[in-house]
Amino acid sequence: MKANGGAAGVDNVSLEKFESNLKNNLYNIWNRMSSGSYFPPPVKAVEIPKKNGGTRILGVPTVADRVAQMVVKIYFEPKVEPYFHADSYGYRPGKSAADANAGWIHSGANQGHTTRWCGEPRISQSVPTLCV
């Protein structure tokens, strides 16, 4: 969070303000998460520039919600990671879209299969799914 600047969410609590009352803020997150009463607040919509011009909307969660998300990630990721298939690439540590493409090419070539490729562009760009 600090590396990215730790921008404030809808509650306008910056990383610095969160840290100024760290013990109490962490206790509040722990209390709500452990009691099952934690519900993430809405994200703040911020327009950011695109490289090719225009803007896109970026959702900025609160600092407290980013802390809660990281706690869940650190706790659950090592427990569930062993159950994923080796060819599963989405939202996994150390895996990327480029790895997925390389994996498809590698597995199809080694098994002698004719691979049918499907690409799914962003819905927001109003382009239908393309299959070749």
Side-chain angles (χ1 to χ4, degrees):
M1 245 184 301
K2 279 189 177 183
N4 288 336
V10 293
D11 60 359
N12 290 320
V13 175
S14 67
L15 185 56
E16 293 76 25
K17 187 173 180 181
F18 184 88
E19 287 180 327
S20 71
N21 192 14
L22 186 62
K23 186 176 179 180
N24 190 47
N25 286 328
L26 292 177
Y27 174 79
N28 287 337
I29 294 168
W30 169 82
N31 189 32
R32 287 182 284 147
M33 290 180 78
S34 64
S35 69
S37 64
Y38 181 82
F39 292 96
V43 297
K44 182 178 183 179
V46 177
E47 283 192 359
I48 60 169
K50 294 168 88 174
K51 290 180 183 176
N52 61 351
T55 60
R56 72 177 182 93
I57 301 294
L58 177 69
V60 179
T62 63
V63 172
D65 191 43
R66 282 180 269 178
V67 169
Q69 289 175 29
M70 188 55 65
V71 166
V72 171
K73 178 189 185 306
I74 290 169
Y75 179 79
F76 280 108
E77 192 172 75
K79 295 179 184 317
V80 299
E81 183 64 25
Y83 296 99
F84 281 92
H85 190 278
D87 291 333
S88 175
Y89 293 89
Y91 302 100
R92 298 210 24 229
K95 297 205 176 203
S96 67
D99 294 333
N101 287 334
W104 285 353
I105 292 167
H106 180 60
S107 65
N110 279 345
Q111 297 173 16
H113 294 128
T114 302
T115 305
R116 182 168 184 202
W117 295 86
C118 286
E120 189 174 336
R122 291 179 180 228
I123 293 171
S124 64
Q125 295 173 346
S126 302
V127 179
T129 299
L130 305 173
C131 292
V132 288

